[in-house]
Amino acid sequence: MNQEERLRAFRAGYPNKSLMLAGVEWKYRICGAGTRALLMLPGGELVNDMGFDLVAALAPRFRIVYPAYPRVHSLDDLAGGVAAILDAENATRVAVLGASFGGAVAQCMMRRRPERIERLILSNTGVPLAHLARGRKIANAILSAMPWPVLRGLLSKSILKLLGAPAGEQPFWRAYTKELFATQLGKADAMANLRIQYEYHLRYRFAPGDLTAWIEKTPGRIFVIESDNDIFNAERRKALRDTYPQAPVYTFHGAGHAPAFSRAGEYLEVLGRFLE
């Protein structure tokens, strides 16, 4: 099957479930036939179907909880909603894959409900840094003033660039992003997430000692995946490693921000080694 057919089969085979929480509807998919639970958190795309090929590869071994992010006010809201989904699905302990913005959600969850997480994989993500908040606030003001067609175009180009998918896959991903902003996300959704990213740097501070008790009970259960040419620059990658000094690190060379798409086979191999 080609990518379009695989995406269509994924959506049909794993339809969204719904959970109402404090007046907000959360949608999520339960994928796979395995006994171990894996929580797969979306990045800034906010939806829960971009990773359809990765889910298909992991589904024989895991029961995957794959939420989408609704429009909420804070990172705590996102972490709380995801935890409520795990409660609804009786997923008492899970491995967590948090890539890009999903890594921020994962780190917040880790500090709220560490007992729910058996291992944490932080992929191409970063920790909150206070000096980044001002730039994020200015950028958000500029983006907020843009008409939605202009902002939508910028976001589409940004997603395509960040994915770094092979040339042969570019037509599919252009069509995907066009559909994403036509049918699933609007300006209010995009700006709400950008405000949460600003809040992340403004309000949150993580330190190496935060998870000492959890690490002592579950040694070696944090893993970092990075790329040497990521949009997360050397300073931000070092800050992440310094926050989790006990975590093994796998560095992709020249794979960009999304090695799950630019180097899918290698990424799956690295991920599988840690999960197993």
Side-chain angles (χ1 to χ4, degrees), residues 225-229 250-255 259 263 266-267 270:
I225 299 173
E226 63 176 21
S227 297
D228 58 7
N229 65 334
Y250 186 90
T251 303
F252 281 86
H253 300 291
R263 302 273 187 83
E266 184 181 355
Y267 189 85
V270 172

Side-chain angles (χ1 to χ4, degrees), residues 36-37 93-95 114-120 214 218 221:
R36 288 183 59 202
R93 279 177 63 79
V94 297
E115 76 282 357
R116 304 297 298 271
I117 298 173
E118 62 159 315
R119 62 189 67 192
L120 174 63
W214 180 84
T218 319
R221 299 297 188 180

Side-chain angles (χ1 to χ4, degrees), residues 192-227:
N193 180 255
L194 291 172
R195 284 191 292 270
I196 288 174
Q197 292 182 39
Y198 161 66
E199 174 206 40
Y200 182 56
H201 295 294
L202 183 70
R203 287 187 47 206
Y204 290 82
R205 297 293 174 265
F206 301 152
D210 292 349
L211 307 178
T212 298
W214 180 84
I215 291 167
E216 288 174 351
K217 292 180 181 178
T218 319
R221 299 297 188 180
I222 301 176
F223 190 65
V224 170
I225 299 173
E226 63 176 21
S227 297

Side-chain angles (χ1 to χ4, degrees), residues 9-23:
F10 171 83
R11 288 171 170 170
Y14 303 121
N16 268 311
K17 300 178 74 171
S18 179
L19 176 70
M20 292 300 298
L21 184 66

Side-chain angles (χ1 to χ4, degrees), residues 74-79 104 107-109 111-112 127-130 196-206:
S74 71
L75 198 58
D76 285 338
D77 291 340
L78 290 177
Q107 291 175 84
C108 184
M109 282 191 64
R111 285 156 176 82
R112 288 167 57 103
V127 293
L129 297 173
I196 288 174
Q197 292 182 39
Y198 161 66
E199 174 206 40
Y200 182 56
H201 295 294
L202 183 70
R203 287 187 47 206
Y204 290 82
R205 297 293 174 265
F206 301 152

Side-chain angles (χ1 to χ4, degrees), residues 83-197:
I85 291 172
L86 297 179
D87 290 339
E89 294 296 326
N90 296 313
T92 54
R93 279 177 63 79
V94 297
V96 180
L97 172 60
S100 192
F101 175 72
V105 181
Q107 291 175 84
C108 184
M109 282 191 64
M110 187 75 234
R111 285 156 176 82
R112 288 167 57 103
R113 302 290 297 275
E115 76 282 357
R116 304 297 298 271
I117 298 173
E118 62 159 315
R119 62 189 67 192
L120 174 63
I121 305 166
L122 298 173
S123 177
N124 300 85
T125 191
V127 293
L129 297 173
H131 70 271
L132 297 179
R134 183 173 182 272
R136 182 74 269 170
K137 183 177 182 180
I138 293 170
N140 285 359
I142 295 170
L143 294 172
S144 179
M146 289 182 179
W148 174 232
V150 176
L151 179 56
R152 181 178 59 204
L154 287 176
L155 293 174
S156 296
K157 290 179 181 177
S158 176
I159 288 174
L160 291 171
K161 182 177 180 180
L162 291 175
L163 284 180
E169 298 180 5
Q170 289 297 320
F172 168 80
W173 289 113
R174 281 195 293 271
Y176 177 93
T177 55
K178 182 177 180 180
E179 180 202 46
L180 175 68
F181 291 114
T183 64
Q184 298 194 67
L185 300 180
K187 184 175 182 179
D189 302 300
M191 291 310 306
N193 180 255
L194 291 172
R195 284 191 292 270
I196 288 174
Q197 292 182 39

